[in-house]
Amino acid sequence: MLDIDIPLLTVLDEQTLVAFTGRVNVLDKITHQMLGVVVLREGHIFRCQYRGAQGLKAFFNIVIEGAQLVPQEFIVEPEIIDERDRQIHYPYSVLKSKTSEVLKRYQAVAHLRPPPQVKLLPRASFLDSDDEVTDSEFQVLCTLTEWNQVDDLYRHCPLLDYEITESLVSLRRKEAIQVVSARTSGR
């Protein structure tokens, strides 16, 4: 089980207990800027959006930032939620139990994440080869064809952040990707 307090899970524990239907808005605690939302219906998580990510990726990104002590604030608002809006089909208990594994894997590779301004491209020679790739590596390569800046890759790839990092490490070892450039902070 978790040995740290995750703010989102504390709020969701309360809301699932009372079979809440509505939105849990996630705000930056300092600026009060809206960062995302967790939508529940009768205590079940239906949908999640956070910093441009959707679904499970958004849910686990909120959890990871909470574990890293990023200041978050939650505002609970009752709302009518349509059954058709569901994008997360796991029970809350499953999501909560998976959280420990996701955090552990994220922390194991967080230091390997490339800087956000770096641009990566698949190597044409690798794409023409018969080398095998995993499903995760394939998704990263596909995303890199459209979004080659690391920051955009993490935002638009459907994989969880630790899965992207693990795939980048293995693709780099296979010499499947190359660093093209790094944007300077002076723009």
Side-chain angles (χ1 to χ4, degrees):
M1 203 60 178
L2 296 170
D3 53 345
I4 57 173
D5 183 39
I6 309 281
L8 176 66
L9 297 184
T10 303
V11 171
L12 291 178
D13 284 344
E14 295 168 358
Q15 301 312 314
T16 57
L17 186 65
V18 297
F20 174 74
T21 296
R23 305 163 49 99
V24 176
N25 296 312
V26 183
L27 302 138
D28 180 299
K29 194 170 191 166
I30 297 167
T31 66
H32 303 289
Q33 175 187 2
M34 176 83 139
L35 301 174
V37 63
V38 178
V39 177
L40 294 101
R41 183 166 187 233
E42 297 173 3
H44 300 282
I45 298 176
F46 259 47
R47 187 172 75 246
C48 195
Q49 182 272 325
Y50 187 70
R51 297 186 190 260
Q54 301 287 326
L56 291 175
K57 181 173 182 160
F59 176 82
F60 288 118
N61 283 349
I62 298 169
V63 168
I64 288 167
E65 287 195 11
Q68 294 175 330
L69 304 178
V70 172
Q72 298 169 329
E73 181 177 23
F74 304 97
I75 297 176
V76 178
E77 296 179 330
E79 184 176 306
I80 296 172
I81 306 299
D82 192 331
E83 176 72 35
R84 295 174 293 187
D85 290 341
R86 191 166 200 167
Q87 65 179 191
I88 296 176
H89 298 277
Y90 293 107
Y92 174 64
S93 60
V94 171
L95 291 174
K96 189 174 177 179
S97 67
K98 189 170 170 60
T99 296
S100 180
E101 176 194 340
V102 168
L103 281 172
K104 202 177 299 177
R105 289 187 68 186
Y106 173 82
Q107 291 166 344
V109 297
H111 68 285
L112 299 173
R113 182 176 173 150
Q117 71 278 7
V118 169
K119 288 188 178 183
L120 305 170
L121 283 179
R123 289 188 188 273
S125 60
F126 181 81
L127 297 176
D128 291 337
S129 73
D130 291 334
D131 292 345
E132 291 188 20
V133 293
T134 65
D135 290 339
S136 296
E137 291 170 342
F138 181 75
Q139 286 189 23
V140 167
L141 287 170
C142 288
T143 306
L144 279 174
T145 62
E146 189 170 349
W147 306 98
N148 60 15
Q149 191 167 321
V150 168
D151 212 17
D152 292 333
L153 170 66
Y154 279 85
R155 187 175 310 114
H156 295 285
C157 186
L159 299 173
L160 297 175
D161 286 7
Y162 75 84
E163 294 171 316
I164 296 170
T165 304
E166 290 172 348
S167 295
L168 285 174
V169 168
S170 66
L171 287 168
R172 195 70 172 149
R173 285 186 185 133
K174 293 177 181 180
E175 297 181 2
I177 56 175
Q178 62 183 338
V179 176
V180 177
S181 67
R183 183 178 63 188
T184 60
S185 59
R187 290 192 179 189

